[in-house]
Structure formats: C-alpha cells, structure tokens
Amino acid sequence: MTELSRMAESKWRGRRSFGVLALLLVGATSLSACSSSSSSSGGAPSTEVTIGFIADTSGVAASFGTSYSNGVKMAVKQLNEGAYLGKGRTIKLNQIDEGSDPARGVSAMNGMINHQNVSAVICCALTPVAAALKPLALKNQLPIFIYGATLPGLNEPPYAYRTIPVPVDDIEPMVTKIVQKLHPSKVAFAVNSDNDGMQSMYKAAENAYKVTGVQNVGTAETLVTDSNMTSTADKLIAMHPDIISITMTGASPTPLLSSLRSRGFEGPVTFQYLSSGTVSQVGVKAAQNIFFPLDFNPSSDNPTIAKFVSSYKAAYGDPPDAYAAAGYETVSTIAEAAKSVLDAGGAVSRGTVAKAASEITKEDGTLYGHVTFSNGQIAIGGHLFGTISPTGDVEEWK
Amino acid sequence: MLIFLQQLANGISLGALYALFGLGFGLIFANLGILHIAYGTVTTWGALFTLWAIQGLHLSYVAGFAAAILGCVILSVMIDQVAFQPLRRRNDEMTSFLVASIAIWIILGSAALIATGARYSSYPASSFPAVRLNIGGVILSWAQWVTIMVALIATVSLELLLRRTPVGTAIRAVSYSPRAAALSGVNTRYTIVIIVGISGILAGAAGVLGGLSTQSVSFQLGEGLLLKGFAAVVVGGYGDIRGTAIGGLLIGLIEVFTGQYLSGSFSDAVTFGLLLVFLVYRPRGLFGKTEMVERA
C-alpha cells in the first residue's frame, strides 16, 4: 500500500460521532499544562525541616500564584542563608503545582500526607482549592497554612491556619473612607459569580455601601476564566455609576480596568487586590484613581519591608505585591513554629509544629508590621489603603 | 437602546474573533480530518510573537503582526510534519491524531507558561493606534473594528481561494480523496503544507487580535478561543467557510447578550448548550454537508 493510499484510508476510516469528539475536546481542555518542581524523596536528613508547598503556578490563578510562589521561595532562601533555625538546620521545600484545580490539589495533598518528612503544608490561592484541602489536613493531622483563599472560616487550629489578613475585614473601612473622601452617590459592582471568596467580599461591599446610603445601580457578573471584558465594561458604564467596585480574581480585573478606561470611564475604581503587573499592563494613566487595601505597603520605609522589596526586585525584576508578601510571611510563620520546637529541644514533626503554631499569638517585624494571631487567623493593626501615584508607584492613600 | 446597539457591536467584534479562529481550526478539521486541539496554543504563540517583537525588538505593530503570522505558519508546519505526517504514513486513525494534538498542546502550553513566567502582559498602548470609531454613540475601539475587518477579509479570501483558484481546487480534491487527487497530478503533501500554512496565518491573526481585544496577553490566551472556535465550526457547519463565520458571529452575540441581559455567569452555559443542541439535532451545522459529518 502506498503512503498516499494509506493516508486516504486513514483519513476516512475513523467514523467517530461528533458527540464523542466534542466530549473528548471538552474533557481534554479541562486538563491544564502541568508543572512541578523540586520534589524531594524520602530519607531527608534530620537537620532538614521539610515544608510541602502546593503551588498555583499554572491554571487560572497562575498570574498571582507565581507571586505567592516567589515569596515562598525567597523566604526559604533567606531563612536558610541566615541560619534562622540554627546552625546546620535548613528548611527544604517540597513543591508541586496544582494548576488552580481542586482535584489536582487533593492529589497533591494526598502525596504530602504520605510523605512522612513533610511537617506542614503551604497552599491555596483560590478558595475552592483551600476548601478541598482543609478537611484532608484536619483528618490526617497535617498542619496546613493557607496564604490566599478569601473565604472566611478556613482557619481551624491546631491544623489549619491562615497567614494573610481576612480581606473582607478591609471592606467596611475602605467603603467608609471612600464615601467620606470621594462622596459617590451611585455604585456599580463587578464580581466573579463562581468564587465563594469573591462573593463574600462582594456582599460585604454591597452591604457597606447600602449602610452609607450610596445607591446600588447594579452588578455585572463574570466567571473567573472570562477574559474579554469589553462588554462587561460597557454594561457597567451604562449603569452611570460614580464609582465601580471590582471584586474579581484571576486574569480579568486588570483587563476590566483597561476596558473601563478605554471606553471613557474615568471615575474611581476599587479593587480587593492589586497585582504587581496591573500598572504596567494598563499604563500609568489608566491606573490613576484606583483604590485598594494596602495590608502590605511596598513603599513603606520600614527596614524589614525595604529589604524584602529590594531583594525581591533583584531576584524577580518586579516589585513584590501583596501575594508575594503573603507567601513570604507564611513560610516565616511556619519557621517560627519549627524554631520554637527546636529551641525547646524537641523534634520537628506535624504534631509539634501544629502545637507550636497554635501557641503563636503575635509576631513583630513582619511585612505587615506587628500582627496578632487569633484562632489560627492573622490580624494586622489598622487598615491602610493604597492608590497609584502619578509616576506609577503604589503609595498609601492618605 | 444605545446599550443594545453597543453590545451588538461588541458581540459582532467578539464573534469575528471566534470566526477567525474557527476558520483556521475548521480548515484543518474539514480538510485533513484532524481535531487539532493544540490550535489554541498555536494562537497563544502568535500573540506572544507579536508581544516580543514589539516589546523586545521595538518593531511596529505591523511588523509585530507579520511576526505572528510568520511564526505561526512555521510552527503549524513544524507541528504537522513532526507530529502528524508520521501518523499519516503509518495509516493511523483519527484518534491517534487527536492524541498527538493533545501532546503538542501540553508541550506548547507548558513552554508558553515557562516563557511568560505565568505573567500577564499587554501590548503597549503606544504601539497601536488609539483610534475609536463613534457611530451615533456606539463606540468601536481600533482593536474591535480591525478584528471585524480582518475576519471579513479572511472569510472572503478563503472562500475565493477554495472556490476560484487552482490551489483551492487542489485543497478540495485532497480533502475529498487524497488518492484520487494524487492520481490527478496533485502534490498532496505540498497541498497539505499549504492548508496547514493557511491555518497558521489565521492562528497568528487570531492571536494578535485576541490579545488586543482582551487587552491581555498570557499563556492561556488561546485556550479561551478553542472551545468557542470549535463551537463556531459546529454551529456553522463543518467545511463551510461562510457557515463558520456566521457561527462565530452567532456565538459572540449570544455570549455578549447573555452577559448583558441575563448574567455573565450563564454565558458559557448558554453557548455550550447551543453547541450541544447542534451536536444532537443538527450535527452538520447550519450550512455543513451531511457527507462531511459521515466521513468524519
């Protein structure tokens, strides 16, 4: 048989139904490119404290999951270089990517549970992933430290901690400040409808504006995976708001801001988070008149923060954002728990780390300044809010 | 009324992007019998080629656009010759091509993730004209009307190429029966390269215009287009250029109007509900031919 005839036979022989092909296509696209790194095997020496890291460096959360990852890695590097745990003792990271997918997160978590050297796990940019992993952590008594995931109530010591401030706590003070300083009379909202954390913040914002007497002129709902924001921007602008509140995660908040500005909306826009790439992506002009919580202030003259910012810039090129700071602080908290165990002459294990972490009530010199821990949840003193300066830098909104 | 017209314009623009993608995706499926799911990732690379040409090499947007076209043509031909040609030679079935395409998709997707560092970028605002059309209060950005024009030109050009030129005759002959085409003097392998090259041109254009329309260039850009482009092909009809263009427009309009008048939460559900309806009740689409479905 000639190559030609074989090709002809091949082409027309497969008589598959289109239904099957469609299912294959849909199923296949639900997979995502996977990546993992630095997985350690058993037999690690006792001088190593192994931390499992279930990262979000691919999938819908990759844009900010990478910032978390950078912060985590920088903290491990700096703590090891400074011999934080003591001479000859190091922290080892056992990292695997979960692709922003709860199912892959569960698989990764089971791997960590079976890896006896892992004393604690860091994870979860997204609420659905954190909600899937937390029960496993509790059941298997493996301490989990959540650096993202905005839904309240994910903390449950001694085996579940959240090492970033609860974002919903910032909303009422931010709305109060906005109303006092900007005097909006009408507000419109943009929110991800498929993310519990975003929904809880949206409802808090909606309620806070209602209490202050600002008229709610409507809401535009999107999905986390949506990328084309032009029609959403037009929908919001057609509501004629004085201010737009964006409570969205994933890749879409920045394009939405860009679309709003390019369609002529120059009014104030609020975000729950600001990614480090937002200003460079939309341009300095479009990034004016935006406001966001500033739990981590990269422009602070605090020496700890200044050192972190300069080290981060040197390592990754961009200034760190709140996600990077959260990753850094999470490792620092686990390291503090491990150090207290070692300093007391104990051995680092899941149980001892959990117990030590539950006894941490406050920390000084963090990237958030002085912080307290209550029921496994970090809390910072006061609420700062940020904006973008005319030169494109993040600065405190005073 | 104005918001209706504005969203109509947005829907046409978005649909034009889906149509552009669907034309390339459908061209490979209808003529080579390959469900090329890596096509979305080729589109992603088109957007990245332009980004690097503009940001790294400081080229103009026209040169950046050309870089995307050239890069995607080369990439598409390489994929075909490396991954698909050996399967053709081995007389493999359609499923093998699908598996090979999945492998290419994962490889190229991972490479894009590594190359971008998972960062989202956008084309510098200064690199593209900041012109906006304002027609009675309905605003069309430069990216939107260029997308509509490019999709229109691509649809007409492809239709003319396939129906009115010797190359188009050869493509249709190879599509119908490679053996008969070869016996008639058609160089089948060369013709296949032409088909793949044209799909590369369309992928490059869709990538650049997708990056402009969403104002975001990322390693995931093409993934969003893949299912919508596939839906455009199914709704319009396999192997029908005009049908694919109309299918793309329909998908874009449905998506935008669902977001405006129902909720953005339901856009995908409505779009893929429509896809399901077509797959079950009218698998040949609006304009496709029955024999095309049977062959596939």
Side-chain angles (χ1 to χ4, degrees):
Chain A
M1 189 180 278
T2 65
E3 178 187 334
L4 194 61
S5 61
R6 281 198 301 268
M7 189 177 81
E9 289 291 323
S10 164
K11 184 178 165 194
W12 307 124
R13 199 171 63 182
R15 293 178 182 275
R16 300 277 186 265
S17 75
F18 285 109
V20 171
L21 289 175
L23 286 174
L24 276 170
L25 178 63
V26 172
T29 47
S30 69
L31 297 169
S32 59
C34 57
S35 64
S36 63
S37 65
S38 63
S39 175
S40 69
S41 56
S46 59
T47 52
E48 278 182 353
V49 173
T50 304
I51 299 174
F53 178 27
I54 301 175
D56 305 81
T57 47
S58 66
V60 294
S63 56
F64 52 98
T66 305
S67 286
Y68 282 122
S69 178
N70 291 343
V72 166
K73 288 175 184 170
M74 172 155 284
V76 170
K77 183 170 180 281
Q78 291 189 348
L79 290 168
N80 285 340
E81 285 174 355
Y84 178 79
L85 294 182
K87 195 175 179 184
R89 293 171 177 158
T90 56
I91 297 169
K92 183 173 184 177
L93 213 53
N94 181 0
Q95 180 177 344
I96 187 163
D97 177 53
E98 42 86 340
S100 317
D101 176 2
R104 283 176 60 186
V106 167
S107 173
M109 187 68 178
N110 282 325
M112 298 295 178
I113 289 164
N114 293 327
H115 192 316
Q116 290 304 313
N117 285 338
V118 171
S119 305
V121 166
I122 300 170
C123 85
C124 308
L126 297 178
T127 294
V129 182
L133 302 198
K134 179 189 155 187
L136 287 174
L138 298 183
K139 182 182 175 187
N140 294 281
Q141 300 186 336
L142 172 59
I144 188 169
F145 292 77
I146 298 166
Y147 56 41
T150 47
L151 190 69
L154 289 170
N155 48 299
E156 193 174 334
Y159 291 105
Y161 299 86
R162 187 156 53 190
T163 47
I164 59 159
V166 181
V168 76
D169 289 350
D170 288 320
I171 289 175
E172 191 183 327
M174 186 160 80
V175 170
T176 302
K177 184 163 184 172
I178 283 166
V179 172
Q180 285 174 351
K181 292 181 74 94
L182 304 178
H183 314 294
S185 58
K186 291 183 285 184
V187 59
F189 299 91
V191 61
N192 291 136
S193 59
D194 55 344
N195 184 291
D196 283 350
M198 295 300 118
Q199 281 288 314
S200 70
M201 284 190 283
Y202 155 65
K203 283 168 187 163
E206 193 180 34
N207 189 54
Y209 277 109
K210 186 179 177 184
V211 168
T212 56
V214 177
Q215 183 191 354
N216 177 352
V217 292
T219 301
E221 293 182 323
T222 69
L223 302 174
V224 173
T225 50
D226 285 348
S227 56
N228 194 318
M229 290 287 118
T230 306
S231 56
T232 304
D234 282 331
K235 182 176 182 177
L236 288 165
I237 292 169
M239 296 172 188
H240 304 294
D242 298 320
I243 186 168
I244 293 174
S245 168
I246 297 176
T247 314
M248 292 160 65
T249 187
S252 48
T254 302
L256 178 54
L257 173 64
S258 192
S259 293
L260 285 169
R261 295 305 193 217
S262 68
R263 311 301 272 194
F265 183 78
E266 295 177 351
V269 176
T270 65
F271 288 87
Q272 200 50 49
Y273 292 107
L274 190 77
S275 294
S276 60
T278 297
V279 177
S280 62
Q281 206 173 327
V282 303
V284 174
K285 188 181 173 191
Q288 298 301 298
N289 211 13
I290 67 172
F291 306 96
F292 44 89
L294 195 63
D295 295 334
F296 164 68
N297 181 4
S299 59
S300 166
D301 53 8
N302 178 310
T304 305
I305 295 173
K307 184 186 171 193
F308 171 65
V309 171
S310 64
S311 304
Y312 193 93
K313 274 184 181 173
Y316 302 110
D318 293 326
D321 52 20
Y323 307 115
Y328 188 98
E329 276 308 321
T330 304
V331 175
S332 299
T333 302
I334 298 172
E336 184 176 332
K339 182 173 167 56
S340 69
V341 172
L342 293 167
D343 288 350
V348 173
S349 67
R350 296 173 182 183
T352 56
V353 168
K355 185 172 182 298
S358 70
E359 290 168 354
I360 297 174
T361 55
K362 62 180 182 178
E363 283 183 275
D364 290 310
T366 75
L367 297 177
Y368 306 120
H370 174 79
V371 299
T372 58
F373 274 88
S374 174
N375 194 34
Q377 169 64 56
I378 200 170
I380 59 175
H383 300 276
L384 296 181
F385 303 103
T387 188
I388 302 297
S389 74
T391 56
D393 297 318
V394 173
E395 65 178 13
E396 187 182 343
W397 180 36
K398 293 180 178 170
Chain B
M1 186 60 185
L2 185 62
I3 186 65
F4 175 84
L5 294 174
Q6 180 64 67
Q7 297 294 28
L8 180 68
N10 290 339
I12 291 171
S13 167
L14 186 62
L17 182 64
Y18 294 155
L20 197 57
F21 182 94
L23 289 176
F25 181 79
L27 191 69
I28 292 184
F29 185 74
N31 293 288
L32 301 181
I34 300 171
L35 192 63
H36 191 13
I37 69 163
Y39 191 72
T41 315
V42 175
T43 303
T44 300
W45 278 93
L48 294 176
F49 289 142
T50 301
L51 183 71
W52 294 329
I54 292 173
Q55 283 190 341
L57 303 176
H58 305 291
L59 299 179
S60 68
Y61 71 89
V62 176
F65 203 102
I69 303 289
L70 182 65
C72 285
V73 168
I74 293 170
L75 191 59
S76 296
V77 172
M78 280 175 61
I79 290 170
D80 185 78
Q81 293 301 302
V82 171
F84 298 148
Q85 181 61 22
L87 299 179
R88 285 191 200 104
R89 200 178 296 128
R90 285 213 314 265
N91 194 26
D92 275 356
E93 289 191 8
M94 199 175 179
T95 317
S96 302
F97 288 88
L98 177 63
V99 171
S101 188
I102 291 172
I104 295 293
W105 171 45
I106 291 172
I107 292 166
L108 288 181
S110 298
L113 187 139
I114 293 166
T116 59
R119 287 185 193 140
Y120 284 67
S121 306
S122 60
Y123 301 124
S126 58
S127 61
F128 288 87
V131 182
R132 285 192 304 179
L133 280 184
N134 189 330
I135 309 167
V138 174
I139 295 170
L140 272 177
S141 68
W142 187 84
Q144 285 182 303
W145 64 261
V146 166
T147 303
I148 294 169
M149 294 308 296
V150 170
L152 190 64
I153 291 167
T155 304
V156 173
S157 303
L158 201 53
E159 181 71 16
L160 290 176
L161 178 82
L162 291 178
R163 302 287 166 201
R164 304 277 175 86
T165 66
V167 172
T169 306
I171 290 173
R172 284 187 288 131
V174 169
S175 165
Y176 189 78
S177 169
R179 186 194 299 186
L183 290 172
S184 305
V186 174
N187 184 332
T188 53
R189 190 161 178 179
Y190 174 69
T191 305
I192 287 169
V193 168
I194 288 177
I195 294 169
V196 170
I198 294 170
S199 80
I201 292 171
L202 294 166
V208 178
L209 295 171
L212 272 174
S213 299
T214 59
Q215 304 184 52
S216 174
V217 177
S218 78
F219 63 98
Q220 293 177 314
L221 184 144
E223 309 305 323
L225 290 174
L226 180 63
L227 283 175
K228 304 292 172 60
F230 179 69
V233 173
V234 172
V235 170
Y238 300 87
D240 191 286
I241 302 301
R242 289 165 298 180
T244 300
I246 292 169
L249 284 179
L250 199 57
I251 300 290
L253 287 168
I254 287 171
E255 185 175 327
V256 167
F257 280 117
T258 302
Q260 175 64 38
Y261 294 111
L262 196 55
S263 167
S265 313
F266 301 132
S267 294
D268 282 355
V270 173
T271 302
F272 294 112
L274 181 72
L275 175 66
L276 191 63
V277 167
F278 269 85
L279 283 169
V280 173
Y281 295 107
R282 196 176 170 87
R284 66 190 174 96
L286 291 173
F287 304 101
K289 296 176 180 64
T290 310
E291 59 266 34
M292 181 66 74
V293 180
E294 288 170 352
R295 283 173 189 164

